[in-house]
Amino acid sequence: MISIGFPLIYRQEAGLLDRIGPLVAPFGKRPYVVADAFVRETYGARLEAALAASGLKAACDPFEGECSPRAIDLAAARLRDGGFDCVIGMGGGKAIDAAKAVRIETGVPVIVLPTIASNDSPTSRLAITYEDDGTFIGPRFMATNPEAVLVDSEIIVRAPLRFFCAGIADAFVTMFEAEQVVASGNPNFFGTQPTEAALCLARHCHAVIREHGAAAVRDVAAQRLSPAVDKVIEANILLSGLGFEGCGVAGAHAIGMALSVLPGAKGILHGEEVAIGLLAQLHLEGRDPAFLDEVLNFYGEIRLPRSLAEVGLSGTSDEDRARVAAFAARPGSRIHNMTRSVTPADVETALAWVASLDTDYPEP
């Protein structure tokens, strides 16, 4: 059995926020918006005006910034109590995941409106949950992919460069993990074997990132929307999202997200975590030094972290790495999607190698 999932609508264009009403209207007349305080203050009035122009009346209650069970239950209760008939997740990955979790709890349609291209969550069925303190819990799953993913490229290009680079990292790891899952014969996020389409999307995502990533980073640094930026936005959000969900993930995500067990990891972006995780995965794969140097050089071009120090974890001890390794290699972890068996000791060795790296960024 093979399977893959897609959102009903993916639309990407400059200025889309101000024309969003007709795209939301088929899914509900009273949208409940999940967005953090910064996004509400920056874009809330524009969103409400665009929805009102199509006769839609939206409400937006505070989202505290962590996709935790407590925040999910609170938002779901507010949606039900207010009689809202769809949910819009607006902002970054955690607000979007919270909106998707609300859909899981209530069954209403979900529309995803990312304001940053920092990861590939918008198109997927997954809602990644955390404790209130930021410790990783795990995914919850919607029955289907989002009803609509609506991307305003003008908003994306004006967001801080760090988010865009993190999204490139999340996209860059997709092919490496997909190939591990396919080669090992393990199932994807639908519980089936990956389709050829999913693997092609993962590989094309990688090709787009390699060809256009460095130019796109330079353009976003100048807040300049360009063909390279548009291509990389699509890779970060759509190609990577379809590729990871349709194929699966492996060591990069398992190790990267396990960093959340360390107190100093709070504030590291998801893409930065998996960038570190990929370095550890490639070490576990036994890649030759020339290949690893090439990857590290590319990381430098697109401003990705190339050591634990560059994500603020320079003081990690052997005990810290053992905690991360134990979590990453626990039973049921997706690190076991790799083609080789992986023990906590293997992960400790890979993390020690990553900790030993010492690199400097070039100017973009």
Side-chain angles (χ1 to χ4, degrees), residues 51-94:
L51 293 171
S54 294
L56 310 183
K57 187 176 181 180
C60 183
D61 282 339
F63 170 66
E64 296 179 4
E66 202 62 73
C67 184
S68 66
R70 181 186 61 82
I72 293 163
D73 290 345
L74 182 59
R78 286 171 170 163
L79 182 144
R80 292 190 190 99
D81 293 345
F84 299 100
D85 56 8
C86 64
V87 58
I88 297 175
M90 185 177 187
K94 292 189 177 182

Side-chain angles (χ1 to χ4, degrees), residues 78-117:
R78 286 171 170 163
L79 182 144
R80 292 190 190 99
D81 293 345
F84 299 100
D85 56 8
C86 64
V87 58
I88 297 175
M90 185 177 187
K94 292 189 177 182
I96 290 168
D97 281 356
K100 290 192 286 186
V102 168
R103 187 216 202 208
I104 293 168
E105 295 296 319
T106 64
V108 302
V110 62
I111 297 94
V112 176
L113 180 56
T115 57
I116 52 178

Side-chain angles (χ1 to χ4, degrees), residues 67 97-98 100-101 104 124-129 138-142:
C67 184
D97 281 356
K100 290 192 286 186
I104 293 168
S124 79
R125 300 179 306 132
L126 281 68
I128 305 298
T129 61
R140 299 184 186 182
F141 294 88
M142 299 191 295

Side-chain angles (χ1 to χ4, degrees), residues 16 32 62 65 80-81 95 105 145 153 160 181 204 212 286 318 356 360:
L16 182 61
Y32 179 83
R80 292 190 190 99
D81 293 345
E105 295 296 319
N145 295 73
S153 50
V181 179
H204 186 63
H212 301 286
D318 291 345
S356 73
D360 295 313

Side-chain angles (χ1 to χ4, degrees), residues 29 42 52 57 65 83 85 87 96 106 120-121 150 171 175 189 212 227:
K29 304 302 180 186
T42 307
K57 187 176 181 180
D85 56 8
V87 58
I96 290 168
T106 64
D120 55 15
S121 72
L150 309 174
M175 182 192 76
F189 280 97
H212 301 286

